[in-house]
């Protein structure tokens, strides 16, 4: 099997999970395939000295960045250290990052890549809290704040922390196949591999919480009754408002129209059922208020860019490992 080198950049105030999440995935992939050499993982800081993470942990790198050869996959994590980074680190990334076979940023690591100029003209994402900063400071970067990760050619950027694991699993699937990635996900007790275009937030978090109690109650009702009558007229009656006044107030206070909010809630509920249950698509479409599988298919295509059957095929976990197999890893 081909050995793929992975080099993880370390710096003071790095986010520890941005480092260890992808490392555990790549290391687990070797165990999953029975070939520990599937990935050769190394960590490096500017001078090879230990770094202190934002949570206070000390990480000891394998070598200095100046001693590292060009890797198959270069991983640039995020953390507080991406704000006001060492100019020498930016200079190293400017020179060496384009030479990597595959370039990956986790969380605010995208700020380091942008500072080095390697994201210019590229579509990228980062942690939601840093998306505006990335877009403002680096206008040459096409920032998409919604997805959990984005692929643009050989460059992949992620929203951070657990989404770094999702991205690493996607890369393992690309390198070693779907079964290897699913096996790693099961071992890490990651329930499933989320698609890159999945939003960083659930709809309840993505939308603002309404200020007025009747509207907040309607939001909760929608989430609790995705299969019910969620027409504007019915929801307005629950809030004791006219349909026109309700639609205007709901959008003003949540940032979404009632129709869009209902659609996102139903898609999210249907997605969970596709992932977690063995119910047929026709049953799921009924339970989630679509009425017909075709209506659900149109909603999935509009929101997630894929049909329900394809979503289930790609993202529903496989059967658990047999105890004997699990014991070998």
């Amino acid at each position: 099997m081909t050995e793929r080198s992975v080099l993880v950049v370390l710096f003071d105030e790095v986010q520890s999970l941005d480092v260890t999440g992808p490392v555990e995935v790549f290391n687990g992939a070797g165990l999953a395939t029975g070939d520990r050499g599937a990935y050769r993982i190394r960590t490096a800081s500017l001078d090879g000295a230990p770094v202190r993470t934002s949570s206070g942990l000390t990480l000891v790198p394998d070598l200095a960045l100046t001693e590292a050869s060009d890797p198959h996959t270069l991983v640039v994590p995020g953390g507080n250290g991406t704000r006001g980074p060492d100019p020498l680190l930016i200079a190293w990334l400017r020179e060496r990052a384009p030479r990597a076979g595959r370039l990956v940023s986790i969380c605010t690591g995208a700020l380091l890549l942008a500072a080095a100029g390697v994201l210019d003209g590229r579509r990228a994402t980062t942690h939601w809290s840093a998306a505006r900063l990335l877009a403002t400071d680096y206008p040459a970067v096409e920032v998409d704040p919604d997805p959990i990760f984005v692929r643009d050619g050989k460059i992949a950027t992620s929203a951070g922390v657990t989404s770094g694991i999702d991205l690493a699993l996607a890369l393992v699937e690309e390198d070693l196949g779907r079964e290897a990635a699913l096996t790693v996900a099961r071992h890490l007790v990651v329930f499933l591999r989320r698609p890159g275009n999945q939003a960083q937030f659930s709809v309840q978090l993505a939308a603002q919480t309404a200020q007025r109690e009747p509207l907040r109650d309607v939001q909760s009702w929608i989430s609790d009754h995705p299969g019910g009558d969620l027409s504007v007229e019915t929801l307005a009656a629950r809030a004791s408002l006219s349909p026109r006044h309700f639609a205007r107030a709901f959008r003003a206070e949540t940032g979404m129209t009632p129709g869009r909010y209902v659609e996102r809630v139903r898609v999210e509920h249907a997605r969970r059922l596709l992932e977690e249950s063995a119910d047929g698509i026709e049953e799921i479409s009924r339970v989630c208020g679509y009425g017909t599988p075709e209506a659900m298919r149109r909603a999935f295509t509009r929101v997630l860019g894929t049909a329900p059957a394809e979503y289930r095929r790609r993202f529903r976990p496989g059967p658990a490992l047999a105890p004997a197999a699990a014991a070998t890893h």
Side-chain angles (χ1 to χ4, degrees), residues 1 4 6 21-33 38-39 41 72-73 102 104 149 151 164-185 188 193:
M1 183 177 290
R4 297 168 177 84
V6 177
V23 165
E24 290 292 345
V25 170
F26 289 123
N27 181 66
L31 299 176
T33 59
Y39 293 97
I41 306 165
H72 174 269
T73 301
R102 191 164 59 191
V104 175
F149 63 82
R151 301 288 301 274
I165 293 177
D166 294 303
L167 174 54
L169 286 167
L171 298 178
V172 167
E173 179 173 1
E174 177 181 293
D175 294 339
L176 305 177
R178 180 172 182 269
E179 192 55 40
L182 286 173
T183 300
V184 175
L188 294 180
R193 296 170 299 110

Side-chain angles (χ1 to χ4, degrees), residues 6 32 100 235 238 242:
V6 177
L235 297 177
R238 292 195 65 84
S242 71

Side-chain angles (χ1 to χ4, degrees), residues 85-100:
D86 191 319
L88 292 177
L89 175 58
I90 300 303
W92 186 90
L93 288 170
R94 183 176 296 113
E95 177 187 358
R96 300 290 298 277
R99 289 156 49 177

Side-chain angles (χ1 to χ4, degrees), residues 9 22 28 44 46 103 131 187 247:
V9 176
L46 267 175
L103 183 55
H187 276 290

Side-chain angles (χ1 to χ4, degrees), residues 8 21 29 81 121 141 146-147 160 174 177-178 198 203 211-212 215-216 241 252 255 286-287 292 304 318-319 321:
V8 184
V141 182
D146 291 329
E174 177 181 293
R178 180 172 182 269
Q198 183 169 318
V203 65
Q211 295 180 1
R212 283 180 277 181
L215 296 179
R216 289 200 305 271
L241 297 171
R286 185 189 62 78
V287 168
T292 67
L304 297 178
L321 286 176

